Amino acid sequence: MEMRSDAVKKGPERAPNRSLFYALGYTKEELERPLIGVVSAYSEIVPGHQHLEQLAQAVMDGVRMAGGTPVLVPSIGVCDGIAMGHLGMKYSLPSRELICDSVETMALAHGFDGLVLVPNCDKIVPGMLMGAIRLNIPAIVCSGGPMLAGKVGGESATLSKMFEAVGSYKAGLIDDDQLLEFEQNTCPGCGSCAGMYTANSMNCLCEAVGMALPGNGTIPAVYAARTQLAKHAGMQVMQLVEKDLKPRDILTPAAFRNALATDMALGCSTNTVLHLLALAHEAGVSIDLNTINEVSSQVPNLCHLAPAGPTHMQDLYAAGGVQAVMAQLAEGGYIDTTLPTVTGKTVAENLRGAQNKNPAAIRPLDDPYSPTGGLAVLFGNIARNGCVVKRSAVAPEMLTHTGPARCFNSEEEAIAAIYSGSIQPGDVVVIRYEGPKGGPGMREMLNPTSALAGMKLDKSVALITDGRFSGASRGASIGHVSPEAAAGGEIGLIQDGDSITIDIPAYSIHLNVSDEELEARRAAYVAPEKPPVSGWLKRYARLVTSANTGAVLES
């Protein structure tokens, strides 16, 4: 059959190209088979990626077993935890675009017939998948899997508890020895951090949208089943190549609604909004924030994984994983089970035999945590184009809240105020000029949110930002405010002491200031000075769009 790789290896005109393949050690027989790009984010700086070298090898074994020729190529990847709280976090979300572009570059430059994507952490999963969608060649995601939860003081702990421990330390609630116990025991080994943070959220949603094999989101990194999954992914991509089943054949509007429904049931990270919007953009599918609220209003929240509750990814896996959650959603009519997936089967066929083995980890439909989904998009006069909150991680008493604004023009200013003890119960912390353009890079605000939680203020203080949050954040943490301050958004006009009302059940956020007063402030507005932006972030800031459209780059 005609193959895409013929462009680099067929005919006398391609003899020079073939000579370079022979220089790499490939044989004539290997060049007669489909070339499968295995895109690995392996590195020694990201715990979620440390083991991907072995996992990518298992994928390559699977490709060979099924008659293909695997070609290993690299991807960059930022560890959000290590990048948190300093300049490095400005590079995290923008790196998604670099990863997407690099997948496109490597695949087209070398004529790959198919792709197996081997990511694991926050921006790497959507970045690789965006590249595959853009190329629209047969592809499958095989992530590295979640880390096991750690143990601190006899209790399970994940990275969110580690960040909160810093707040507890600053408040004098724990001492040096206790802080050291957290840092040495919270993260016990390789894998994406063990709560329903962004990495695990996206790995689960790759299953839900049909681009990964069952188990992709929840099989722990260190389990043999993860290696077996990788081999099967390598074998399955050959079936996709044979059938020419491509990402855009799978990623239909109905598939994205399945992903959103699963997102709401699982209680995924707010970052999934950015990434699903970006994936839909690449697929040519129209999704907006109103669609997200529509799904959220209909689909119950069935899981409270860390930081929302005491369960972790290994518990979700033992309970039946994403497939068990989707099976319950199918029973309730919340998902379309007729859709194709990379397994070569429909959603319904994949769900055959799936069952909830632990109602404490996955609530049944008739006893959900809430009748509405884990995420909500709020609209109001300081978020005309919306803002996002992880509703499932908000204490009941903070679902509605009115309080005075405490305004800061950077994360550093806010965290200094929180650590100094100057934030009082009832306050609404406002952090602006941290959006996609204004940051630039839309930094995650895990340090401020976890400091508030560690100081026991998460049930009395809200936080609003045009930046974003880690999936490890909990409390009334409202991010993605659009338009952002740097683009003239009203969040930049808020003043200290202004009253702000948050009503999450009503999908509303409102600055209690008259329209006339806001217009007067706008007329007198002078933007604060920001440090000059250098390097490729300068280009990113010029091209990036708003959070409400996925913070994608202008074409």
Side-chain angles (χ1 to χ4, degrees):
M1 68 174 181
E2 188 175 337
M3 294 185 284
R4 293 175 178 86
S5 58
D6 288 348
V8 299
K9 62 187 176 74
K10 188 174 182 180
E13 299 83 3
R14 294 295 174 257
N17 309 60
R18 291 194 297 274
S19 72
L20 293 168
F21 277 100
Y22 292 136
L24 290 164
Y26 290 98
T27 66
K28 182 176 181 293
E29 292 80 5
E30 285 177 301
L31 296 187
E32 291 170 350
R33 299 172 178 178
L35 296 183
I36 305 299
V38 179
V39 188
S40 171
Y42 164 73
S43 76
E44 294 184 346
I45 193 60
V46 187
H49 296 175
Q50 184 187 29
H51 64 304
L52 294 188
E53 186 174 34
Q54 290 77 30
L55 203 69
Q57 184 59 58
V59 168
M60 294 169 73
D61 291 343
V63 171
R64 286 197 179 94
M65 283 191 282
T69 297
V71 183
L72 183 67
V73 294
S75 166
I76 65 167
V78 171
C79 178
D80 278 18
I82 294 175
M84 194 72 65
H86 60 94
L87 174 66
M89 181 47 70
K90 291 179 183 287
Y91 286 86
S92 175
L93 180 61
S95 74
R96 185 187 72 182
E97 312 310 310
L98 290 183
I99 293 163
C100 173
D101 292 348
S102 70
V103 170
E104 176 189 2
T105 300
M106 296 302 283
L108 288 181
H110 303 106
F112 295 150
D113 296 295
L115 294 170
V116 183
L117 310 173
V118 189
N120 209 28
C121 291
D122 295 31
K123 310 308 157 306
I124 300 85
V125 180
M128 284 192 188
L129 190 47
M130 286 166 64
I133 298 168
R134 183 182 298 173
L135 292 165
N136 202 32
I137 64 175
I140 189 169
V141 177
C142 179
S143 76
M147 184 186 294
L148 296 175
K151 286 282 186 182
V152 178
E155 295 185 358
S156 295
T158 58
L159 190 64
S160 54
K161 291 291 185 183
M162 176 69 255
F163 274 91
E164 290 175 17
V166 177
S168 297
Y169 178 81
K170 294 286 186 179
L173 300 176
I174 63 172
D175 59 22
D176 289 321
D177 289 340
Q178 290 169 302
L179 185 64
L180 181 64
E181 184 182 5
F182 268 101
E183 67 183 84
Q184 292 184 338
N185 296 287
T186 296
C187 299
C190 67
S192 47
C193 298
M196 187 52 83
Y197 310 149
T198 307
N200 291 325
S201 294
M202 290 308 300
N203 286 331
C204 288
L205 296 187
C206 284
E207 277 189 60
V209 83
M211 286 300 298
L213 299 180
N216 181 75
T218 59
I219 299 172
V222 295
Y223 283 16
R226 177 61 57 175
T227 303
Q228 293 159 359
L229 182 82
K231 291 177 180 177
H232 283 127
M235 289 186 272
Q236 186 58 31
V237 76
M238 296 304 297
Q239 292 294 317
L240 300 178
V241 169
E242 182 179 339
K243 296 175 182 177
D244 201 29
L245 184 62
K246 301 181 290 293
R248 291 184 210 164
D249 299 327
I250 294 169
L251 295 172
T252 61
F256 277 101
R257 288 187 75 92
N258 278 4
L260 284 171
T262 309
D263 191 334
M264 298 307 164
L266 288 170
C268 292
S269 164
T270 52
N271 283 319
T272 59
V273 174
L274 284 174
H275 299 324
L276 287 175
L277 288 171
L279 293 171
H281 173 77
E282 292 290 349
V285 172
S286 178
I287 293 178
D288 62 21
L289 297 183
N290 291 309
T291 305
I292 292 169
N293 270 352
E294 178 191 340
V295 176
S296 180
S297 68
Q298 297 168 354
V299 179
N301 177 225
L302 306 180
C303 300
H304 267 192
L305 292 115
T311 52
H312 303 91
M313 294 305 296
Q314 65 212 58
D315 303 309
L316 179 59
Y317 171 63
V322 175
Q323 300 300 302
V325 174
M326 292 183 71
Q328 292 195 170
L329 294 177
E331 288 175 16
Y334 297 113
I335 62 172
D336 185 341
T337 62
T338 67
L339 305 180
T341 73
V342 292
T343 65
K345 302 174 183 177
T346 64
V347 173
E349 290 171 319
N350 290 342
L351 296 180
R352 198 166 291 151
Q355 58 180 313
N356 182 1
K357 302 173 185 176
N358 183 2
I362 305 171
R363 289 274 188 95
L365 285 177
D366 59 3
D367 184 29
Y369 282 102
S370 70
T372 52
L375 298 179
V377 180
L378 315 183
F379 294 91
N381 62 351
I382 52 174
R384 287 180 285 114
N385 295 334
C387 54
V388 184
V389 63
K390 187 172 182 174
R391 171 168 45 190
S392 59
V394 180
E397 55 266 45
M398 289 298 291
L399 289 171
T400 57
H401 178 77
T402 297
R406 296 291 307 278
C407 299
F408 306 95
N409 290 339
S410 71
E411 178 192 8
E412 287 81 3
E413 292 178 20
I415 198 70
I418 294 169
Y419 283 160
S420 73
S422 66
I423 302 300
Q424 301 301 313
D427 285 348
V428 178
V429 175
V430 178
I431 307 176
R432 62 260 184 119
Y433 302 99
E434 288 284 6
K437 286 185 179 294
M442 203 180 183
R443 286 193 288 181
E444 288 185 344
M445 301 291 146
L446 180 54
N447 273 342
T449 60
S450 57
L452 292 171
M455 293 175 169
K456 310 300 183 187
L457 292 172
D458 57 297
K459 296 182 180 180
S460 60
V461 172
L463 195 152
I464 301 171
T465 181
D466 53 10
R468 60 196 177 90
F469 296 109
S470 163
S473 293
R474 62 185 175 97
S477 303
I478 300 164
H480 307 199
V481 170
S482 299
E484 62 175 290
E490 285 78 6
I491 188 173
L493 305 179
I494 303 172
Q495 296 179 0
D496 278 342
D498 284 348
S499 171
I500 297 176
T501 295
I502 299 161
D503 190 340
I504 295 173
Y507 303 99
S508 171
I509 185 167
H510 190 77
L511 175 66
N512 299 311
V513 169
S514 69
D515 293 344
E516 293 76 16
E517 172 63 18
L518 275 179
E519 287 309 309
R521 292 182 187 181
R522 191 187 304 280
Y525 171 79
V526 177
E529 277 197 37
K530 295 278 286 184
V533 179
S534 60
W536 66 269
L537 281 183
K538 188 173 183 179
R539 181 172 71 249
Y540 177 84
R542 186 172 68 250
L543 296 175
V544 71
T545 62
S546 176
N548 69 298
T549 55
V552 297
L553 299 186
E554 293 176 352
S555 56

